[in-house]
Amino acid sequence: MDSLLARISRGQLWPSPGGVHPPVNKSQSNSLPIHILPLPPRLVLPVKQHIGAQGHLLVNVHEQVLKGQALTKPHANWSVPVHAPTSGRIIDITPMPSAHPSALPELSIIIEPDGEDRWCELVPHPNYRELTAERLVDILHFAGISGMGGAGFPTYIKASTKQQIDVLIINGAECEPYISADDVLMQAHSEEIVRGIEVLRHLLQPKLTLIAIEDDKPKAIAAMEQASANIDDMQVRAIPTKYPSGGEKQLIQILTSKEVPAGGIPADIGVLVQNVGTMYAVQQAVELGKPLIERVVTVTGDTLAEQRNVWALLGTEVKHLLAQQGFTPEPMQRVIMGGPMMGFTLPTVRIPVVKTTNCILAPSAAEMPMPGEERACIRCSACADACPASLLPQQLQWFAKTKEYKKLEEHQLFDCIECGACAYVCPSEIPLVQYYRVAKAEIREQQIEQIKSDRAKERFEARKERLEREQEERRNRHKRPRRSTEQDSQSKEKVAEALARVKRKQADKGDDKTRLPPPLPVRKRKRRANNLSRITVT
Amino acid sequence: MKLNMMSSPYKHSHKSLTGVMLMVALAAVPGILAQCYFFGTGVLIQLVLALVCVTLFEAAVLYMRGRKMWHTLQDGSAWLTGLLLAVSIPPLTPWWVIVIGCFFAIVFVKQLYGGLGGNLFNPAMAGYVLLLVSFPVQMTSWLPPAELMHHQVGLLDELSMIFSNYSQSGYSLEQLRSNVDGITMATPLDTLRTDVSHGLTVAESMVKPVFGETAGIGWLWVNTAYLLGGLLLLQQRVINWHIPVAMLAALSLCASIGYIFDSGNQPGLAFHLLSGATMLGAFFIATDPVSASTTNRGRLIYGAAIGVIVYLIRTFGGYPDAVAFAVLLMNMAVPLIDHYTQPRTYGHGAKS
């Protein structure tokens, strides 16, 4: 390991398989400074914006909130709070379409800004090194920080890992075309990012910290190199521009030659990856006490008069972002959240910016032509050559089309990171990733169904067994002689006992004449017995 | 505002199926020109015939299968099949031979297996083999190179030969193929195997004019031209290096070993590489993506096995050349090869 660490720190890079070189299209947006948007008319804050559970609501409708005020409180594991991005009034708390490919409604807090943008009281910790690790992790947790690069994994969980971290990787690769949010953030705020990295280094104590940036961002590389120049064991690494080098797994492979084991996490191999935007948020939270309420978003595409990066408050609707950049929609307009390779199209522009939103792309039809009609797969395996995970995309496609789920799993469908490189190169324009997404969903559904049906089967069999047992018992009871002698004697004893009990009672209550009728005269008793016997005879 | 929803990625490389097929056809041009130069323009007539036939057959089957006719025809795969079949057969073969070949290749080998992408066998080669075993005389009646021919034939002669079996001056194909002494000239591969089987050594056989310097007049240049086209395909990333390199390497290795141990009866490396259909096979036929192995390791095995089989059939088998047989035999092994050569997926085994 140490020799490998030495090679890593000497600057060696390793190849990662596959990858494609789509036109980067970043120059449209990365030359202008980050623009600060005017306050939007309303903010829609989904309560849950990341992997994990949602928090408890702390506010009610009509309540007045201050900028930075916590709106939810984390309660279960992996939940992080959301904060008011500006001061204003809560006008509703209701499910709203979410910033998710499905756009399924999520509980959201809707704020009407009051225009004053008044902060709540902030608690900065410039001397965070004096705090305990738990306290520091709590600060990250309560500042609502989750990964701002992609999946939105809560940062406090990563920051409190118990595993030994040898290499901390700060991901500024930003390999997806069009997106330049991290690029401009590194150019403008390299000092803050490095200070944020220091917070994490303080917590994790890695042996080496690498800031990875693709070599098509010379300005960002220069800025980060300058900011980190005097820090030991922190190096800026320019990596070759290739999509998807910024994928967590691929980046680890390029920088350390190691692979994250299937089903594992980077910490299993002593590596932890954080996005540069997250590091900026960490610095803001710890040193200034500011929770995560805004982020840099690239607003780009040829339908916009001006393409640039903006500071967007979380909850700002895409509509506001586009309108501010002079949006002229075309017929069949697509608005993509994220980049052209992995982003998702929005059903409406009234979707809010969330913690993971790095780009809003509104391309013209000329810029991103509609895909042609799917043709037959000729097994050319251009897709396999492009796959960064060394899968066989064309084999997967055949199995997905014929719904051979077992084969799909054998061919490691679930190791597909859905980067889209295969579909990008396919000469037959087969929407490969779409097939995999559907197949994955179907397999997951099937697994859930399987569990359900297994349970139902278990229940059914248990019931069947019980019914059979009962029937068996009934049958046995039927077959049994009416009374076994043993039972007979037992019941005789019981009868005798009962009689004795009755006699005792009678004896006890003998003096209480008022309640018991007097015993019948002997003759009368006899007559009644005779009557009874007569009746029985006839 | 109504927005258009679709699934990512939204960007495409603009590499198209038609483009791929066109590139392969383009890369075959030097080889076809060389064939024209040395063996006459008959190949062009065969090419036109083949293109017309495959278009008609493909369109008819697509119509019967209820597929989009024009859209599917546009992928160009049928035309490529026609092209490969046309350059594989002797240039003055009667017209009905190529018609039957195209019919079998397109209707049976390709469309009945489900059309493009579904076929197990290489359509052009299956068509070729059908013709070779059914019409051995026509299919082996290659003309000698123009400079050795006693009677020169022009385009009209060729047309007349193909459609009526006689040239305008009334010569039959047999007469055209004969030298001054009235002995029919065969291809270098054919000549060599006949001579060796008659007890001649390679050195004795190779003095015949048909061999020229090394691998046969004309054949050397035809192979070189296909090699050039193949390099263009590699450079354009239309094909991967694995199959041609493995095939040529295996063939070279076998040929060298054979030459070292049995130089009297076996020609050397250069002859194997530059005669017959070696280069056409290595770069244009074995690399047909549909019927070849799809994994890189699998392609090495597939290519190498074709090289070995070509050598074995040429040296010990009953046919002078063997590219078509070798390719078809290995087509059958592709599912097995693919199954056992799945690449190691990221994060599975090896480094941790």
Side-chain angles (χ1 to χ4, degrees):
Chain A
M1 178 62 212
D2 276 332
S3 71
L4 177 62
L5 202 64
R7 284 158 75 196
I8 295 170
S9 65
R10 270 204 308 274
Q12 187 174 345
L13 295 177
W14 283 266
S16 79
V20 290
H21 296 93
V24 291
N25 280 309
K26 294 186 192 241
S27 55
Q28 300 96 313
S29 57
N30 69 2
S31 47
L32 292 170
I34 311 173
H35 181 59
I36 296 171
L37 290 178
L39 279 177
R42 67 171 195 167
L43 293 163
V44 180
L45 283 158
V47 170
K48 185 186 146 178
Q49 306 195 1
H50 52 81
I51 294 174
Q54 69 176 40
H56 273 313
L57 281 175
L58 291 174
V59 287
N60 288 313
V61 182
H62 305 313
E63 205 170 300
Q64 204 69 31
V65 289
L66 290 173
K67 181 172 187 168
Q69 184 183 332
L71 305 177
T72 63
K73 180 177 78 175
H75 72 112
N77 238 3
W78 287 20
S79 78
V80 296
V82 289
H83 301 80
T86 183
S87 58
R89 197 171 61 94
I90 294 174
I91 52 172
D92 205 354
I93 300 175
T94 180
M96 295 290 279
S98 63
H100 183 268
S102 69
L104 283 175
E106 284 261 12
L107 187 65
S108 306
I109 301 166
I110 303 167
I111 299 176
E112 188 181 57
D114 57 14
E116 290 174 27
D117 212 24
R118 231 163 358 112
W119 277 98
C120 65
E121 200 190 325
L122 301 178
V123 191
H125 294 91
N127 303 319
Y128 62 85
R129 283 167 203 275
E130 289 159 16
L131 302 173
T132 61
E134 289 76 30
R135 180 75 193 97
L136 199 48
V137 167
D138 273 352
I139 293 173
L140 302 182
H141 191 182
F142 285 94
I145 302 173
S146 55
M148 293 165 79
F153 193 85
T155 303
Y156 83 96
I157 307 242
K158 279 192 182 181
S160 57
T161 178
K162 296 285 177 287
Q163 279 156 300
Q164 168 62 38
I165 299 301
D166 294 318
V167 185
L168 171 65
I169 296 174
I170 305 304
N171 189 349
E174 202 163 54
C175 61
E176 179 138 4
Y178 283 94
I179 309 176
S180 59
D182 288 346
D183 184 6
V184 294
L185 186 73
M186 286 189 284
Q187 289 179 38
H189 297 282
S190 53
E191 294 289 337
E192 288 91 332
I193 294 170
V194 170
R195 292 222 292 276
I197 299 172
E198 286 286 29
V199 174
L200 222 66
R201 269 159 54 94
H202 173 65
L203 275 170
L204 299 168
Q205 300 291 327
K207 292 179 186 149
L208 184 64
T209 303
L210 299 175
I211 304 166
I213 307 170
E214 280 195 341
D215 56 12
D216 64 341
K217 302 174 188 67
K219 284 185 193 164
I221 293 172
M224 292 305 291
E225 268 174 349
Q226 205 188 349
S228 63
N230 300 320
I231 301 168
D232 289 337
D233 300 328
M234 190 190 289
Q235 303 175 5
V236 175
R237 254 312 166 276
I239 59 167
T241 302
K242 178 172 91 172
Y243 178 82
S245 297
E248 185 174 73
K249 290 175 168 182
Q250 281 64 44
L251 192 57
I252 292 172
Q253 191 174 24
I254 292 167
L255 295 175
T256 71
S257 82
K258 294 190 187 188
E259 293 179 14
V260 183
I265 56 168
D268 296 342
I269 51 168
V271 179
L272 196 131
V273 184
Q274 286 285 4
N275 169 263
V276 286
T278 319
M279 290 303 96
Y280 178 80
V282 166
Q283 185 269 337
Q284 297 283 305
V286 175
E287 294 193 345
L288 307 178
K290 288 181 180 175
L292 177 55
I293 55 165
E294 59 180 351
R295 65 159 299 144
V296 180
V297 180
T298 307
V299 188
T300 186
D302 280 353
T303 57
L304 300 170
E306 192 173 49
Q307 306 182 31
R308 70 186 309 167
N309 281 278
V310 299
W311 277 111
L313 296 178
L314 300 182
T316 307
E317 286 173 321
V318 169
K319 182 186 167 79
H320 183 70
L321 259 66
L322 292 173
Q324 292 296 320
Q325 306 308 321
F327 177 42
T328 329
E330 294 181 344
M332 302 288 279
Q333 179 68 47
R334 284 162 294 175
V335 175
I336 298 159
M337 188 173 269
M341 300 298 284
M342 290 187 77
F344 52 91
T345 46
L346 301 177
T348 154
V349 287
R350 310 216 71 153
I351 300 275
V353 167
V354 294
K355 292 172 184 173
T356 53
T357 307
N358 49 11
C359 180
I360 300 297
L361 174 57
S364 68
E367 187 180 12
M368 241 171 255
M370 284 301 187
E373 206 171 332
E374 178 182 343
R375 288 181 182 275
C377 169
I378 56 162
R379 301 175 195 256
C380 66
S381 66
C383 48
D385 294 340
C387 181
S390 301
L391 295 166
L392 291 174
Q394 55 102 354
Q395 301 281 63
L396 289 172
Q397 170 245 173
W398 292 104
F399 298 140
K401 281 179 176 167
T402 49
K403 298 190 187 296
E404 287 178 78
Y405 298 137
K406 204 163 157 269
K407 281 270 187 194
L408 282 170
E409 287 181 72
E410 273 171 23
H411 280 74
Q412 271 103 24
L413 173 67
F414 282 91
D415 285 293
C416 168
I417 58 168
E418 297 181 20
C419 68
C422 50
Y424 175 76
V425 296
C426 179
S428 293
E429 298 200 54
I430 303 171
L432 293 155
V433 187
Q434 200 177 320
Y435 283 114
Y436 309 148
R437 286 200 189 103
V438 172
K440 278 182 182 176
E442 282 171 348
I443 291 176
R444 284 201 197 98
E445 207 168 297
Q446 208 186 33
Q447 281 167 344
I448 294 168
E449 286 297 312
Q450 188 62 45
I451 293 169
K452 271 191 199 164
S453 78
D454 281 351
R455 254 186 232 146
K457 198 175 161 197
E458 234 168 72
R459 271 203 303 271
F460 171 75
E461 269 166 8
R463 181 172 176 271
K464 209 169 96 179
E465 205 183 314
R466 180 170 54 84
L467 288 178
E468 271 170 9
R469 204 175 52 233
E470 283 174 3
Q471 206 178 1
E472 185 72 12
E473 271 171 19
R474 268 200 301 276
R475 209 178 302 135
N476 288 347
R477 209 182 303 151
H478 213 66
K479 279 182 196 158
R480 268 196 305 256
R482 265 260 149 102
R483 274 193 180 114
S484 69
T485 47
E486 203 181 320
Q487 261 185 337
D488 222 22
S489 65
Q490 266 180 1
S491 56
K492 268 180 187 166
E493 271 169 32
K494 275 183 188 160
V495 171
E497 254 174 52
L499 280 174
R501 232 178 8 248
V502 169
K503 272 179 188 160
R504 260 203 314 279
K505 268 187 186 164
Q506 280 178 354
D508 286 347
K509 292 170 182 171
D511 43 11
D512 191 2
K513 299 279 187 324
T514 53
R515 285 185 62 185
L516 275 174
L520 291 166
V522 176
R523 215 186 307 139
K524 235 181 188 173
R525 259 193 257 172
K526 267 192 182 160
R527 200 189 307 151
R528 188 175 277 184
N530 283 345
N531 286 347
L532 278 174
S533 64
R534 250 205 313 277
I535 288 164
T536 21
V537 168
T538 48
Chain B
M1 178 175 31
K2 188 162 172 357
L3 293 179
N4 193 12
M5 301 279 287
M6 49 190 282
S7 183
S8 68
Y10 313 100
K11 266 275 185 198
H12 192 264
S13 58
H14 303 303
K15 202 175 159 187
S16 77
L17 206 48
T18 318
V20 169
M21 299 290 173
L22 263 177
M23 186 50 77
V24 179
L26 195 71
V29 168
I32 296 172
L33 289 181
Q35 276 181 290
C36 287
Y37 181 79
F38 290 103
F39 302 102
T41 44
V43 61
L44 295 182
I45 302 166
Q46 300 288 356
L47 191 59
V48 172
L49 260 174
L51 292 180
V52 172
C53 290
V54 291
T55 309
L56 291 178
F57 295 139
E58 176 108 333
V61 182
L62 289 172
Y63 175 76
M64 285 190 276
R65 290 179 67 203
R67 300 297 161 103
K68 285 182 192 158
M69 207 155 61
W70 180 232
H71 176 76
T72 313
L73 266 174
Q74 263 179 326
D75 65 33
S77 59
W79 297 324
L80 194 59
T81 301
L83 183 147
L84 291 176
L85 195 54
V87 300
S88 305
I89 67 169
L92 297 188
T93 314
W95 63 272
W96 46 266
V97 171
I98 190 98
V99 174
I100 294 173
C102 288
F103 180 77
F104 184 73
I106 294 295
V107 177
F108 284 87
V109 185
K110 185 180 173 192
Q111 290 294 345
L112 289 190
Y113 275 85
L116 181 62
N119 49 298
L120 181 61
F121 294 102
N122 182 323
M125 286 305 101
Y128 176 84
V129 164
L130 174 95
L131 297 178
L132 186 63
V133 296
S134 313
F135 316 110
V137 175
Q138 288 84 348
M139 284 297 285
T140 50
S141 300
W142 285 86
L143 283 184
E147 61 185 86
L148 296 182
M149 273 172 61
H150 191 47
H151 309 282
Q152 294 302 318
V153 286
L155 183 63
L156 290 175
D157 283 320
E158 284 163 349
L159 273 172
S160 164
M161 290 290 300
I162 290 172
F163 289 99
S164 69
N165 291 337
Y166 291 98
S167 73
Q168 288 192 310
S169 10
Y171 291 115
S172 73
L173 190 55
E174 274 309 297
Q175 287 168 310
L176 286 178
R177 293 178 68 214
S178 307
N179 63 12
V180 194
D181 308 324
I183 297 166
T184 307
M185 289 182 284
T187 64
L189 276 171
D190 214 353
T191 314
L192 185 74
R193 83 167 293 105
T194 316
D195 288 354
V196 168
S197 68
H198 289 164
L200 270 71
T201 66
V202 172
E204 286 163 349
S205 170
M206 295 259 273
V207 296
K208 289 189 175 169
V210 72
F211 289 100
E213 293 294 318
T214 41
I217 295 172
W219 290 101
L220 171 89
W221 290 106
V222 170
N223 271 288
T224 311
Y226 279 119
L227 171 65
L228 269 178
L231 293 179
L232 176 73
L233 290 181
L234 279 178
Q235 190 260 328
Q236 291 291 317
R237 297 178 162 275
V238 173
I239 57 171
N240 282 3
W241 60 269
H242 305 79
I243 292 175
V245 168
M247 175 179 158
L248 296 177
L251 181 61
S252 307
L253 189 71
C254 292
S256 306
I257 293 172
Y259 188 66
I260 289 167
F261 288 101
D262 191 12
S263 56
N265 291 320
Q266 292 194 28
L269 181 61
F271 184 82
H272 270 294
L273 287 184
L274 296 172
S275 196
T278 307
M279 291 299 168
L280 177 71
F283 290 96
F284 291 84
I285 290 167
T287 52
D288 163 41
V290 177
S291 55
S293 171
T294 57
T295 64
N296 284 340
R297 270 194 305 149
R299 285 178 178 143
L300 290 175
I301 298 170
Y302 174 82
I306 291 177
V308 172
I309 298 173
V310 166
Y311 169 78
L312 289 178
I313 298 182
R314 277 183 184 177
T315 311
F316 307 108
Y319 286 88
D321 205 355
V323 171
F325 290 111
V327 167
L328 290 187
L329 281 171
M330 288 317 293
N331 283 167
M332 285 190 274
V334 160
L336 193 71
I337 296 174
D338 280 358
H339 183 80
Y340 285 108
T341 56
Q342 217 179 306
R344 184 183 66 80
T345 308
Y346 182 103
H348 287 266
K351 290 175 193 167
S352 64

